[in-house]
Amino acid sequence: RVLGMSLPTRTGTPAFAQGRRVLKINATHFWILAAEDDDPTRELALALSPEIGTLTPLSHSRICIRVQGLAARDVLSACIPLDFGIDAFPVSRFASTGLHHTPVLIERTGEDRFDIYANRTFAHSIWQWLADAALGISDNG
């Protein structure tokens, strides 16, 4: 337990506590997602000992692009090799994947709403890929 939260035991499904989401990214890495005005960094730093783990704040190194609407799944499917059907990728599910050779983490935050987290340095190219995919969907359909 960290900050009164139980850590998730498997990747892909977040844990929720105190308005925060905890994502197990791989066997030894977790992300804590919180509201913009809720910075748990100091609280976490005090709670962690070297035996438990270390803290690396990523807030300023990542961007979040939200894709939402009826065509969101089609747009994402044009760029990302995942099944975005509601049964295969339900609300609250997340996955680490790639978007045109760029590592991203994508989380389904609503039936037709997805958040894409990526390194800030790739924000423009990811935005371009998504915009091009959306234009392709609208041209075809």
Side-chain angles (χ1 to χ4, degrees):
R1 292 179 62 89
V2 175
L3 301 178
M5 296 183 279
S6 294
L7 297 175
T9 57
R10 53 178 237 186
T11 61
T13 306
F16 299 89
Q18 304 167 6
R20 299 169 177 160
R21 295 186 320 279
V22 181
L23 287 62
K24 183 173 183 173
I25 303 305
N26 61 39
T28 61
H29 292 86
F30 296 86
W31 281 8
I32 297 178
L33 303 175
E36 191 173 343
D37 61 348
D38 175 20
D39 183 0
T41 305
R42 179 165 169 69
E43 200 177 345
L44 276 168
L46 293 172
L48 292 176
S49 66
E51 297 81 35
I52 295 173
T54 59
L55 174 67
T56 305
L58 299 174
S59 300
H60 299 292
S61 68
R62 298 283 193 267
I63 55 102
C64 177
I65 297 174
R66 177 164 288 162
V67 178
Q68 66 182 26
L70 296 176
R73 288 179 290 165
D74 294 334
V75 169
L76 293 176
S77 292
C79 304
I80 298 173
L82 290 176
D83 180 352
F84 291 104
I86 195 72
D87 292 332
F89 201 77
V91 175
S92 294
R93 189 87 170 140
F94 70 90
S96 293
T97 185
L99 191 156
H100 190 65
H101 309 293
T102 302
V104 297
L105 183 136
I106 185 161
E107 181 182 19
R108 187 177 208 146
T109 55
E111 188 169 328
D112 293 315
R113 185 178 64 230
F114 300 85
D115 288 348
I116 300 171
Y117 296 91
N119 288 332
R120 186 174 296 277
T121 54
F122 295 116
H124 187 260
S125 61
I126 289 172
W127 185 263
Q128 292 284 147
W129 270 94
L130 291 169
D132 288 347
L135 287 172
I137 299 298
S138 68
D139 289 345
N140 294 325

